[in-house]
Amino acid sequence: MSAPAQPATSQIGFVDARGVEEALSLIAPKWTTWSAQTLAQQGGPMRVRDVAAHLPFVSEQFVGKRLAQMHDDGLVTRASHRHGAPYQLSGFGIALSPVHRALSDWSHAHLSLGKVAGAERIEDAVRRLHLRHSTAMIQALDAGGPMRFVHIAEQTGLDNSFTRQRLIRLQLDGLVTRTGPRHGDPYVLTAAGRALGPVYAAVEHWSNPVAAPLPAPVQVAAATRTRTGIPPRSDGIRTAAALRRSTAAPNSLFSHAPQPQPRVPTTVTARSAPSPGR
Protein backbone atom coordinates (compact mmCIF):
# COMPACT_ATOMS: atom_id res chain seq x y z
CA MET A 1 0.00 0.00 0.00
CA SER A 2 1.43 3.35 -0.96
CA ALA A 3 1.78 6.14 1.55
CA PRO A 4 -0.66 9.05 1.33
CA ALA A 5 0.41 11.99 -0.75
CA GLN A 6 2.21 14.67 1.21
CA PRO A 7 0.94 18.25 1.25
CA ALA A 8 3.39 20.61 -0.41
CA THR A 9 5.25 22.88 1.99
CA SER A 10 5.16 26.31 0.38
CA GLN A 11 8.58 27.55 1.44
CA ILE A 12 10.32 24.42 0.16
CA GLY A 13 8.91 24.82 -3.33
CA PHE A 14 9.32 28.58 -3.30
CA VAL A 15 13.08 28.84 -2.81
CA ASP A 16 15.77 28.85 -5.47
CA ALA A 17 17.36 25.43 -4.96
CA ARG A 18 20.68 26.32 -6.54
CA GLY A 19 20.90 29.62 -4.68
CA VAL A 20 20.23 27.95 -1.33
CA GLU A 21 22.99 25.41 -1.91
CA GLU A 22 25.45 28.10 -3.01
CA ALA A 23 24.71 30.06 0.15
CA LEU A 24 25.06 26.99 2.36
CA SER A 25 28.40 26.19 0.72
CA LEU A 26 29.79 29.41 2.22
CA ILE A 27 29.21 28.15 5.76
CA ALA A 28 29.66 24.42 5.09
CA PRO A 29 33.45 24.15 5.65
CA LYS A 30 34.25 22.66 9.04
CA TRP A 31 34.82 25.18 11.86
CA THR A 32 33.27 28.09 9.94
CA THR A 33 30.34 28.36 12.37
CA TRP A 34 32.64 27.94 15.37
CA SER A 35 34.87 30.76 14.11
CA ALA A 36 31.95 33.03 13.23
CA GLN A 37 30.30 32.61 16.60
CA THR A 38 33.59 33.12 18.43
CA LEU A 39 33.86 36.48 16.66
CA ALA A 40 30.19 37.20 17.43
CA GLN A 41 30.73 36.63 21.13
CA GLN A 42 33.72 38.94 21.17
CA GLY A 43 31.82 41.65 19.31
CA GLY A 44 34.99 43.19 17.92
CA PRO A 45 38.25 42.46 16.07
CA MET A 46 40.20 39.34 17.04
CA ARG A 47 43.59 38.12 15.92
CA VAL A 48 43.96 34.58 14.64
CA ARG A 49 45.69 33.45 17.82
CA ASP A 50 42.84 34.84 19.93
CA VAL A 51 40.20 33.00 17.90
CA ALA A 52 42.31 29.83 18.11
CA ALA A 53 42.55 30.21 21.89
CA HIS A 54 38.76 29.78 22.04
CA LEU A 55 38.98 26.67 19.83
CA PRO A 56 41.69 24.55 21.50
CA PHE A 57 40.72 21.49 19.44
CA VAL A 58 41.79 23.24 16.19
CA SER A 59 45.33 24.29 15.33
CA GLU A 60 46.10 28.00 15.05
CA GLN A 61 47.33 27.42 11.49
CA PHE A 62 44.02 25.88 10.48
CA VAL A 63 42.04 28.67 12.14
CA GLY A 64 44.08 31.16 10.12
CA LYS A 65 43.26 29.33 6.89
CA ARG A 66 39.57 29.18 7.76
CA LEU A 67 39.41 32.89 8.56
CA ALA A 68 41.21 33.68 5.31
CA GLN A 69 38.58 31.68 3.41
CA MET A 70 35.80 33.42 5.30
CA HIS A 71 37.38 36.73 4.31
CA ASP A 72 37.37 35.68 0.65
CA ASP A 73 33.69 34.75 0.99
CA GLY A 74 32.75 38.09 2.56
CA LEU A 75 31.89 36.76 6.01
CA VAL A 76 34.68 38.62 7.83
CA THR A 77 36.68 41.78 7.24
CA ARG A 78 40.16 43.07 8.17
CA ALA A 79 41.33 46.61 8.76
CA SER A 80 44.43 45.89 6.66
CA HIS A 81 46.21 43.05 4.89
CA ARG A 82 49.32 43.22 7.05
CA HIS A 83 50.39 40.06 8.82
CA GLY A 84 48.56 39.64 12.12
CA ALA A 85 45.80 42.15 11.37
CA PRO A 86 42.65 41.16 13.30
CA TYR A 87 39.41 39.87 11.81
CA GLN A 88 35.84 40.78 12.63
CA LEU A 89 32.47 39.78 11.24
CA SER A 90 31.27 41.72 8.22
CA GLY A 91 27.69 42.86 7.95
CA PHE A 92 27.08 39.74 5.85
CA GLY A 93 28.56 37.59 8.62
CA ILE A 94 26.54 39.28 11.37
CA ALA A 95 23.38 38.75 9.30
CA LEU A 96 23.88 34.97 9.62
CA SER A 97 22.01 35.10 12.94
CA PRO A 98 18.57 34.03 11.56
CA VAL A 99 20.18 31.24 9.53
CA HIS A 100 21.97 29.85 12.58
CA ARG A 101 18.75 30.07 14.58
CA ALA A 102 16.70 28.29 11.90
CA LEU A 103 19.28 25.52 11.56
CA SER A 104 19.51 25.10 15.33
CA ASP A 105 15.73 25.01 15.82
CA TRP A 106 15.30 22.49 13.00
CA SER A 107 18.05 20.26 14.38
CA HIS A 108 16.67 20.35 17.93
CA ALA A 109 13.20 19.46 16.68
CA HIS A 110 14.08 16.69 14.25
CA LEU A 111 17.57 15.26 14.84
CA SER A 112 18.62 13.00 17.69
CA LEU A 113 22.17 14.21 18.34
CA GLY A 114 22.15 14.18 22.10
CA LYS A 115 24.01 16.91 23.97
CA VAL A 116 26.28 18.70 21.52
CA ALA A 117 27.60 22.22 21.29
CA GLY A 118 25.37 24.71 19.52
CA ALA A 119 27.91 25.47 16.80
CA GLU A 120 28.51 21.76 16.26
CA ARG A 121 24.77 21.19 15.87
CA ILE A 122 24.58 23.91 13.22
CA GLU A 123 27.55 22.54 11.30
CA ASP A 124 25.99 19.07 11.37
CA ALA A 125 22.76 20.49 9.92
CA VAL A 126 24.62 22.32 7.14
CA ARG A 127 26.51 19.13 6.28
CA ARG A 128 23.18 17.41 5.59
CA LEU A 129 21.78 20.19 3.41
CA HIS A 130 24.46 21.80 1.27
CA LEU A 131 25.13 19.06 -1.30
CA ARG A 132 24.39 20.00 -4.90
CA HIS A 133 20.93 19.01 -6.19
CA SER A 134 19.73 17.68 -2.84
CA THR A 135 17.36 20.66 -2.48
CA ALA A 136 15.81 19.98 -5.91
CA MET A 137 15.10 16.37 -4.89
CA ILE A 138 13.53 17.50 -1.63
CA GLN A 139 11.41 20.02 -3.56
CA ALA A 140 10.25 17.32 -5.97
CA LEU A 141 9.26 14.98 -3.13
CA ASP A 142 7.58 17.80 -1.22
CA ALA A 143 5.40 18.65 -4.22
CA GLY A 144 4.77 15.18 -5.63
CA GLY A 145 5.71 12.47 -3.14
CA PRO A 146 5.59 9.55 -2.80
CA MET A 147 7.74 9.17 -5.92
CA ARG A 148 9.64 6.31 -7.48
CA PHE A 149 13.33 6.65 -8.19
CA VAL A 150 12.94 7.10 -11.96
CA HIS A 151 10.33 9.82 -11.50
CA ILE A 152 12.60 11.75 -9.15
CA ALA A 153 15.36 11.60 -11.76
CA GLU A 154 12.96 12.81 -14.44
CA GLN A 155 11.56 15.60 -12.27
CA THR A 156 14.99 16.95 -11.35
CA GLY A 157 16.63 16.38 -14.74
CA LEU A 158 19.46 14.34 -13.23
CA ASP A 159 20.90 11.07 -14.48
CA ASN A 160 19.94 7.86 -12.74
CA SER A 161 23.36 7.15 -11.24
CA PHE A 162 23.67 10.56 -9.59
CA THR A 163 20.06 10.47 -8.41
CA ARG A 164 20.61 7.09 -6.76
CA GLN A 165 23.77 8.30 -4.99
CA ARG A 166 22.11 11.45 -3.73
CA LEU A 167 19.01 9.57 -2.50
CA ILE A 168 21.24 7.19 -0.54
CA ARG A 169 22.92 10.16 1.12
CA LEU A 170 19.58 11.83 1.86
CA GLN A 171 18.38 8.60 3.47
CA LEU A 172 21.51 8.35 5.63
CA ASP A 173 21.01 11.96 6.70
CA GLY A 174 17.40 11.27 7.74
CA LEU A 175 15.71 13.53 5.19
CA VAL A 176 14.23 10.88 2.88
CA THR A 177 12.87 7.37 3.40
CA ARG A 178 11.03 4.71 1.40
CA THR A 179 7.44 3.62 1.79
CA GLY A 180 8.42 -0.06 2.02
CA PRO A 181 11.35 -2.52 1.98
CA ARG A 182 10.90 -3.75 -1.57
CA HIS A 183 13.02 -2.71 -4.50
CA GLY A 184 11.16 0.01 -6.38
CA ASP A 185 9.08 1.22 -3.43
CA PRO A 186 8.55 5.00 -3.67
CA TYR A 187 10.47 7.59 -1.70
CA VAL A 188 8.94 10.16 0.65
CA LEU A 189 10.26 12.93 2.83
CA THR A 190 10.72 12.25 6.52
CA ALA A 191 9.33 14.66 9.10
CA ALA A 192 12.76 16.33 9.13
CA GLY A 193 12.67 16.75 5.36
CA ARG A 194 9.15 18.18 5.36
CA ALA A 195 10.15 20.73 8.02
CA LEU A 196 12.95 22.33 5.97
CA GLY A 197 10.87 25.20 4.59
CA PRO A 198 11.82 27.78 7.26
CA VAL A 199 15.49 26.78 7.00
CA TYR A 200 15.58 27.19 3.23
CA ALA A 201 13.71 30.50 3.45
CA ALA A 202 16.14 31.86 6.06
CA VAL A 203 19.16 30.84 3.96
CA GLU A 204 17.79 32.40 0.78
CA HIS A 205 16.75 35.54 2.64
CA TRP A 206 20.28 35.88 4.07
CA SER A 207 21.99 35.43 0.71
CA ASN A 208 19.65 37.78 -1.18
CA PRO A 209 17.26 39.61 1.17
CA VAL A 210 16.16 42.17 -1.43
CA ALA A 211 15.16 39.60 -4.05
CA ALA A 212 14.00 36.96 -1.54
CA PRO A 213 11.63 38.40 1.10
CA LEU A 214 10.35 35.80 3.52
CA PRO A 215 7.24 34.38 1.79
CA ALA A 216 3.77 33.98 3.20
CA PRO A 217 2.59 30.33 3.18
CA VAL A 218 1.19 29.50 -0.26
CA GLN A 219 1.13 26.35 -2.35
CA VAL A 220 3.81 26.44 -5.02
CA ALA A 221 4.81 23.62 -7.33
CA ALA A 222 8.36 22.39 -6.91
CA ALA A 223 10.86 23.64 -9.42
CA THR A 224 14.57 24.17 -9.71
CA ARG A 225 15.08 27.83 -10.50
CA THR A 226 18.55 29.15 -11.07
CA ARG A 227 20.20 32.53 -10.75
CA THR A 228 23.68 33.92 -10.72
CA GLY A 229 26.02 32.67 -8.01
CA ILE A 230 26.63 34.51 -4.76
CA PRO A 231 29.41 37.02 -5.41
CA PRO A 232 32.42 36.86 -3.08
CA ARG A 233 33.39 39.85 -0.95
CA SER A 234 29.81 41.13 -1.08
CA ASP A 235 28.74 43.47 1.73
CA GLY A 236 26.59 46.08 0.01
CA ILE A 237 22.85 46.50 -0.48
CA ARG A 238 22.16 42.79 0.13
CA THR A 239 23.87 42.90 3.53
CA ALA A 240 22.30 46.21 4.51
CA ALA A 241 18.85 44.78 3.87
CA ALA A 242 19.72 41.63 5.78
CA LEU A 243 20.88 43.61 8.78
CA ARG A 244 17.63 45.56 8.88
CA ARG A 245 15.83 42.24 9.34
CA SER A 246 18.39 40.64 11.65
CA THR A 247 19.29 40.75 15.33
CA ALA A 248 22.77 40.35 16.74
CA ALA A 249 24.32 36.92 16.40
CA PRO A 250 22.91 34.72 19.19
CA ASN A 251 25.71 33.87 21.61
CA SER A 252 23.67 30.98 23.04
CA LEU A 253 24.14 29.03 19.83
CA PHE A 254 27.88 28.82 20.43
CA SER A 255 27.73 27.44 23.95
CA HIS A 256 29.37 24.09 24.45
CA ALA A 257 27.40 21.10 25.66
CA PRO A 258 28.25 19.09 28.78
CA GLN A 259 28.77 15.94 26.68
CA PRO A 260 29.89 16.91 23.16
CA GLN A 261 30.08 14.42 20.33
CA PRO A 262 33.38 12.50 20.01
CA ARG A 263 34.53 14.63 17.07
CA VAL A 264 34.58 17.66 19.40
CA PRO A 265 37.04 16.98 22.25
CA THR A 266 35.83 17.24 25.82
CA THR A 267 38.30 20.06 26.44
CA VAL A 268 35.69 22.32 24.90
CA THR A 269 33.33 21.84 27.81
CA ALA A 270 35.65 23.52 30.29
CA ARG A 271 35.67 26.75 28.30
CA SER A 272 32.00 27.67 28.16
CA ALA A 273 28.75 27.16 30.00
CA PRO A 274 25.64 25.52 28.52
CA SER A 275 23.34 27.82 26.56
CA PRO A 276 20.26 29.21 28.37
CA GLY A 277 17.19 27.11 28.01
CA ARG A 278 18.97 24.15 26.38
Side-chain angles (χ1 to χ4, degrees), residues 16-70:
D16 170 9
R18 181 177 175 181
V20 164
E21 289 161 5
E22 288 174 346
L24 285 170
S25 71
L26 298 181
I27 59 175
K30 187 67 176 171
W31 310 118
T32 297
T33 299
W34 292 87
S35 299
Q37 294 194 351
T38 297
L39 290 167
Q41 281 191 327
Q42 177 68 20
M46 295 182 73
R47 299 183 187 278
V48 171
R49 64 172 178 267
D50 298 324
V51 177
H54 286 76
L55 306 176
F57 38 86
V58 189
S59 71
E60 182 175 326
Q61 182 181 21
F62 190 91
V63 170
K65 291 180 178 179
R66 179 58 65 241
L67 287 170
Q69 182 62 56
M70 292 170 67

Side-chain angles (χ1 to χ4, degrees), residues 225-278:
R225 294 181 289 278
T226 59
R227 59 176 171 82
T228 56
I230 299 169
R233 305 179 186 274
S234 177
D235 198 29
I237 186 170
R238 176 185 63 191
T239 298
L243 287 169
R244 287 196 296 270
R245 297 168 171 83
S246 166
T247 58
N251 291 345
S252 63
L253 292 178
F254 181 69
S255 64
H256 307 302
Q259 296 177 347
Q261 290 180 312
R263 60 181 176 277
V264 180
T266 55
T267 54
V268 183
T269 62
R271 303 186 68 87
S272 173
S275 56
R278 296 295 186 197

